[in-house]
Amino acid sequence: MKNVKVWDPLIRIFHWSLVICFISNALITDPESQLHRQIGYVVVGLVAFRIIWGFVGSRHARFRDFPPSISGSVGQLSDMATGRKRIHVGHTPLGALMIYNLIVTLIGIAITGYIMTTLRFWGIEWVKELHEICVTWAEFSVVAHIAAVVWESRRTGVNLPKAMVTGSKTLPTEV
Amino acid sequence: MSSKTKPDKTTIGLLALIVTQSACSVFFLSDAVADIIADGMAALNDVHLHVEMVATLSLIVAVILEGRFLVRLLRRNAHAERGLSIASGALHDLMEQYFHEWGLTPSEADVATFAIKGLDIAEIAEVRGTAEGTVKAHLNAIYRKSGTSGRGALLGLLVDDLLAQPLIERKEPPKDVPKASGLA
């Protein structure tokens, strides 16, 4: 076993702040309230930070470290199907797709949420509908994300939730 | 390694189909759930909602079946693309059928395929990215579950089966194999 630093402190603060904001706005706050909007702005700030950090951040935080890759994703699925354990230090290829999916979906929620508050789009049905579809997709994605993290932690024997708290992955030395 | 080779069009197409249909399922299911929440008990008498639910569930079942088919496809490609030339799909199907009967885990089936192809323990460990000890443990489980004494006996079992019947009749079983263990 060896410990490898993977996630820098800012990435971890970003992740857990986003968790709190998402839970708040998806389940707790009143969608019509000022608080719901303010939390929405915080999410926009967090996502903006994440995108900037994707270019200038630490090694595994950079988009270059996890480019969207179909062949990589199929490779990871093949590993799952055949029980092979290939350890990825940073994001796995499928994990990377989830990150991009969540970033795009959150931007969609933010844009539709914001224009609902503008005079021009206020009360227009398709904007509200689109906002809700994006939210439903985000909720599904979050559930899939959690399920995948649990599944991959068990499959590879690397505790991924712990890594997002402490910043280090404990990898088996034999690989 | 498998992640470096280009995935074939069938795999990508199937993946795209699964992703699209999953997204549709999420949309339909959330829509139906929203209706049930809005209408409460009255929703139970709504025939339209019943039809909607049946359609949605059918879609989900289709996604699951496609997923199982994808797993089989990925396994086959994972063995064929190594240049190990499992050659005919028939032999691969026969092996898969045995592995299924013996109740091998995906890892054990993977190791068994490589063992039959003649890779030694160190090579299998390298291909799978695991320790040699792990491969040995898998091999022991394979021999125990198949009731064979070792690699030679395991191979003998397959060869016996291939030679037991005339080649013309041999065309039959492989046809049925994918249906039996795959989409059933």
Side-chain angles (χ1 to χ4, degrees):
Chain A
M1 295 290 178
K2 62 170 186 215
N3 271 303
V4 185
K5 273 257 158 225
V6 182
W7 310 124
D8 64 68
L10 287 176
I11 280 290
R12 285 176 274 153
I13 292 170
F14 157 79
H15 179 269
W16 296 111
S17 307
L18 190 60
V19 169
I20 293 167
C21 291
F22 187 81
I23 292 174
S24 305
N25 265 8
L27 303 175
I28 301 167
T29 61
D30 171 12
E32 316 259 311
S33 69
Q34 191 66 32
L35 184 62
H36 186 88
R37 275 178 227 175
Q38 281 161 350
I39 291 174
Y41 291 131
V42 174
V43 170
V44 170
L46 288 170
V47 171
F49 157 77
R50 184 64 188 88
I51 292 172
I52 294 167
W53 207 237
F55 292 103
V56 301
S58 64
R59 183 179 161 197
H60 294 296
R62 295 191 184 203
F63 296 131
R64 206 174 47 192
D65 194 60
F66 56 98
S69 160
I70 290 176
S71 63
S73 302
V74 171
Q76 191 183 352
L77 287 171
S78 300
D79 286 351
M80 291 177 183
T82 52
R84 294 175 199 170
K85 291 176 194 169
R86 204 183 320 278
I87 302 290
H88 302 268
V89 179
H91 286 301
T92 65
L94 289 171
L97 294 185
M98 180 54 88
I99 308 302
Y100 292 115
N101 166 42
L102 284 170
I103 288 176
V104 169
T105 310
L106 286 170
I107 291 172
I109 293 173
I111 292 172
T112 51
Y114 172 72
I115 64 173
M116 247 193 278
T117 67
T118 60
L119 271 180
R120 188 154 174 224
F121 289 99
W122 191 83
I124 293 176
E125 190 55 33
W126 68 261
V127 181
K128 186 164 172 281
E129 187 78 11
L130 201 57
H131 187 67
E132 283 168 6
I133 287 173
C134 287
V135 170
T136 303
W137 181 249
E139 286 169 348
F140 168 74
S141 299
V142 165
V143 172
H145 172 62
I146 294 168
V149 163
V150 172
W151 174 281
E152 285 294 272
S153 294
R154 295 185 55 146
R155 184 176 75 87
T156 60
V158 179
N159 189 331
L160 297 176
K162 195 201 80 180
M164 197 39 92
V165 175
T166 65
S168 305
K169 281 185 182 178
T170 308
L171 306 177
T173 38
E174 70 220 28
V175 289
Chain B
M1 291 285 156
S2 54
S3 57
K4 280 173 194 157
T5 40
K6 214 167 174 287
D8 65 307
K9 278 181 185 161
T10 320
T11 310
I12 293 175
L14 191 57
L15 259 178
L17 188 67
I18 290 173
V19 170
T20 313
Q21 292 187 344
S22 301
C24 294
S25 305
V26 170
F27 177 73
F28 292 138
L29 201 61
S30 68
D31 202 44
V33 169
D35 283 352
I36 292 168
I37 290 170
D39 297 350
M41 276 299 161
L44 291 177
N45 297 323
D46 185 354
V47 177
H48 183 74
L49 190 67
H50 292 176
V51 176
E52 246 175 30
M53 286 304 279
V54 170
T56 308
L57 290 178
S58 315
L59 190 60
I60 292 171
V61 170
V63 172
I64 292 169
L65 293 179
E66 285 157 15
R68 293 185 58 159
F69 188 72
L70 179 69
V71 168
R72 287 180 53 78
L73 195 64
L74 289 171
R75 277 185 196 156
R76 175 179 294 221
N77 290 348
H79 294 137
E81 75 187 9
R82 293 275 312 164
L84 297 169
S85 93
I86 283 292
S88 69
L91 178 59
H92 190 260
D93 286 337
L94 183 69
M95 292 190 326
E96 288 267 295
Q97 197 187 23
Y98 268 117
F99 299 162
H100 185 72
E101 275 172 27
W102 297 335
L104 300 191
T105 64
S107 296
E108 288 161 3
D110 197 39
V111 170
T113 309
F114 287 129
I116 289 165
K117 289 306 295 177
L119 269 70
D120 66 28
I121 291 171
E123 287 168 332
I124 298 173
E126 205 248 301
V127 172
R128 287 179 44 76
T130 51
E132 293 187 21
T134 316
V135 176
K136 282 178 195 159
H138 284 317
L139 283 172
N140 285 332
I142 292 160
Y143 300 144
R144 182 171 44 77
K145 287 179 178 177
S146 62
T148 51
S149 55
R151 186 189 303 229
L154 185 68
L155 192 56
L157 205 67
L158 280 169
V159 173
D160 266 1
D161 205 70
L162 285 169
L163 295 179
Q165 298 162 43
L167 278 173
I168 298 183
E169 275 182 45
R170 277 285 310 129
K171 282 185 176 172
E172 280 302 316
K175 270 191 204 164
D176 293 324
V177 169
K179 286 178 206 155
S181 55
L183 295 170

